[in-house]
Amino acid sequence: MTASAPARLDALGASGPYRSRNLEQVHDVTGGLVAELSLVPWLYAQRTLRALRAAAPPDPARREEMLVEAGRLFATGTVDGVDAETFHRTVAAVSGMPITAVREATQRVGDYAAKACASVQMARPAGAVTDWRDPRARHGCGVWTRRGEVFVVHAPANTPAVHSAWLDALALGYRVAIRPSRREPFTPHRLVCALRQAGFADDQVALLPTDHETADRLIAEADVAIAFGADDVVRKYQSSTLVLPQGPGRSKILLTEGVDVARHLDTLVESVAGHAGTGCINATAVFVEGDPRPVAEAIAERLGALPSLPPLDERARLPVSEVASAKRIDDYLQSKVDDAIPLLGGGTVVDELGDGSAVLRPAVFLLDRADAPQARIELGFPCVWVAPWSRADGVAPLRDTLTLTVVGGDDTLITELVEDPTISKVYVGDHATTWTRPGLPHEGYLGDFLMHSKAVIVG
Amino acid sequence: MTERAASALDLDWDSPPDADDLVREAVEWHFNPKTGSEFWLERAKKLDFDPRKDVRTVADLTLFPNIVDELRDIRLETLIPKGYASLKRFSERPVVGESGGTTGEPKRVFALPDVINHAWDWYHRRLEDHGITKGPNWLGVVPTGPHMVGKLARDTAASFDAIFFTVDLDPRWAKRLVARGAVDELKAYVNHLLDQIEWILRSQDIGVLAITPPLLEAACQRESLVELINAKVRTLTWSGASMDEDTRHLLRTEVFPDVNIVGIYGSTMIFCAIPERRGTSLEEPAIFDPPSPFSMFSVIDPDTKESVPYGERGQLVCHHITRNLFLPNNLERDTAVRHKHALGLAGDALSEVKPVKAFGDKAVIEGVY
């Protein structure tokens, strides 16, 4: 990409930046060297966690001030000598996410920081207050308190937006250590730097890049942790009360009988391909009560028109990867197609740009039944499975879902969906699965996991 | 003095013979039907060269196949050179040592007092070089049982007139726990060990601590242990596993800045333990100079089999040549950075030894993370 020396991304420990001898090279999607990331050894990581645990959090008002300022710096300011536009370009070049999507996701994180302190209060039980000095405690009430002191985040790289998640923990007074993805460490590095620039002390929030093995140990040493990953990560941690696994989203859309597809096509396309289709909130499957083919064809036509462009092009809308990794993803997809009918992306989804990178073109497949296993395959680019659905199929095919958008539908069906424990968000009407705003739960409120209530009576 | 006392094979490890002389005497001893071991005499029949004729120099050692995998299941007696029976020097039975057992069944070798004395004396003198003196008590937190490092620690402490404290530890069990991802069980086992270490450190005057890198790192998680080590321990040796240079630097500069920290590289297949070179700066890695030519290293490019340039990483080849054992041309699974031997002896010195990287993290395809 550039001939300049690679950027130096230090770890950010409890006593400042740390440069290790063990450096991991971070490349852009064309294979160019962009940065050298310091990977910390376990000894450093565990000492950092201990320093974090020993530190006291700032008071809540101060936290809010600093989060607001950090959000502003992160989204628009100069952080660690890097301005926002340079940062956006670096993230786009490294992650392959289109530059416009990077800007939007980054802005979302900045906006979220400003609202985090208010937003986390949405999770507080109605019977609990935030401080034992609250007058209500004189008669006895619940007080909402942290379940631990140190929160470890095993972060993913699919979109900068995921980093808004752990801001809740800082807002609640946790000390937070982020283990970034080695593929895209720039976003959490900038966010931690911005928080520090805004006034959070070095022993409040840390960035600890590590190898895979050390990452597991970090989680084991945390008081509480969140780990993003595939089904194996979910299986590994689902019985733990101290680790919250965040698995595949498998977001879905249900179009019930009589819905005018043309009116909702924008919403369908945004759900599948918004933010370049890299998120857990992007739709993986669309279920249609009636004939699914016209819906699949309409989506395919719209997605097929998206251009193949490098991530720094302002018109780019699709994700880009190194050719080898794009081919791996494509091989995997094509091996799973089986009896699905490809309307888009049959044969290959890889469109090489000639510079070592390749666009992952959208894929649209038609399934012949609601319980076809392909409908559960979530990939990091716009890829959607369109299937028929009838009342007889019931809720089963709609389960295990982060966001379920239902267009149409009666009270009975919607009640059933809202009550289903495996569906996290139910959007009724013309709402893209990607829609969200601060204060809403995302696989539950993180506050539900980070906090508990205890009975307090004073005096 | 017998005729054999003048042999290169019997020289003190600090009076090294010419490496090629040692090689010639070794093949004569190990492949002579009167003196060689049943193992080598049988194995020689399958070689397409005659070791006693064709192996004259260190370079010729590469003619030999790597036989160490055969040490996993052969009868130990077949390894012992027949010549020892006629020497009548040793009434003692051989000491059995096993490799770590990381890669399957452990490899098994033996040692008789002649080689044990040479190896242990050499080790003792290198620790003297690092400032260890007679007197202070030792705490050995290293594997015992079939692992020679436990015996080495106990014997060396005795050679320094030290009282030796120790705890039991089973690294193979710990590795099994790691392999099946039993994080909590491993934590419980490590805590069990740390408790025992702490009891000893609290009540006893421990001046020398011999410990493995993983347990040293685990000990660092307890502030009380860090304080005890800083207050009491003057010299700390680590051995039994590699230590990355970032960790070593933190230990020397932040965690135990006033403790004399000495890295040891050892392996059963070279039957010696090598303290790091003295006098390197804080920014330099720990460099290990072997007792060449009895134990020698080459750091090679595995494709060309040629030595890599000094300062570069390559795959490790070990040779161990004593009257006890002839283990030439053993291509290890470890890689290391190549250095010149400090004393200009045959073969290479090493730094930054680490296992050949496994095939990396399995590429996860499905899902967005």
Side-chain angles (χ1 to χ4, degrees), chain A residues 386-412:
Chain A
V386 185
W389 179 87
S390 71
R391 303 278 162 156
D393 292 314
V395 171
L398 307 174
R399 288 205 170 112
D400 291 327
T401 300
L402 177 56
T403 311
L404 176 66
T405 289
V406 192
V407 188
D410 54 40
D411 278 11
T412 313

Side-chain angles (χ1 to χ4, degrees), chain A residues 18 20-22 41-44 46-47 50 156 158 182 212 220-221 228-229 246-247 278 280 332 377-378, chain B residues 183 187 217 220-221 223 244-247 249-251 254-255 282-283 361 363-369:
Chain A
Y18 170 77
S20 66
R21 288 154 187 74
N22 184 15
W42 170 235
L43 180 64
Y44 186 89
Q46 48 119 322
R47 284 169 64 79
R50 264 198 298 148
N158 59 316
R182 288 173 289 172
H212 228 280
E221 283 309 309
F228 292 80
Q246 299 276 297
T278 60
C280 51
Y332 181 80
I377 297 174
E378 174 178 84
Chain B
V183 178
K187 230 168 136 173
E217 286 185 48
C220 291
Q221 270 174 273
E223 203 51 58
D244 70 87
E245 286 299 320
D246 287 315
T247 298
H249 192 259
L250 281 171
L251 288 171
E254 283 191 26
V255 191
L282 274 179
E283 298 310 315
D361 307 327
V364 177
I365 292 170
E366 203 170 320
V368 294
Y369 301 129

Side-chain angles (χ1 to χ4, degrees), chain A residues 429-441:
Chain A
D430 191 38
H431 304 286
T433 54
T434 51
W435 178 83
T436 186
R437 72 167 150 69
L440 290 177

Side-chain angles (χ1 to χ4, degrees), chain A residues 30-61:
Chain A
T30 70
L33 178 61
V34 177
E36 287 182 328
L37 175 68
S38 280
L39 298 187
V40 305
W42 170 235
L43 180 64
Y44 186 89
Q46 48 119 322
R47 284 169 64 79
T48 304
L49 292 193
R50 264 198 298 148
L52 261 54
R53 195 169 284 120
D59 67 57

Side-chain angles (χ1 to χ4, degrees), chain B residues 211-233:
Chain B
I211 192 167
T212 65
L215 280 171
L216 181 58
E217 286 185 48
C220 291
Q221 270 174 273
R222 287 197 189 179
E223 203 51 58
S224 54
L225 269 174
V226 171
E227 282 169 15
L228 279 167
I229 291 171
N230 273 319
K232 295 190 169 182
V233 172

Side-chain angles (χ1 to χ4, degrees), chain A residues 26-27 37 94-95 156-158 180-186, chain B residues 368-369:
Chain A
V26 184
H27 296 98
L37 175 68
V94 165
S95 68
N158 59 316
S181 158
R182 288 173 289 172
R183 277 190 293 145
E184 201 279 270
F186 294 93
Chain B
V368 294
Y369 301 129

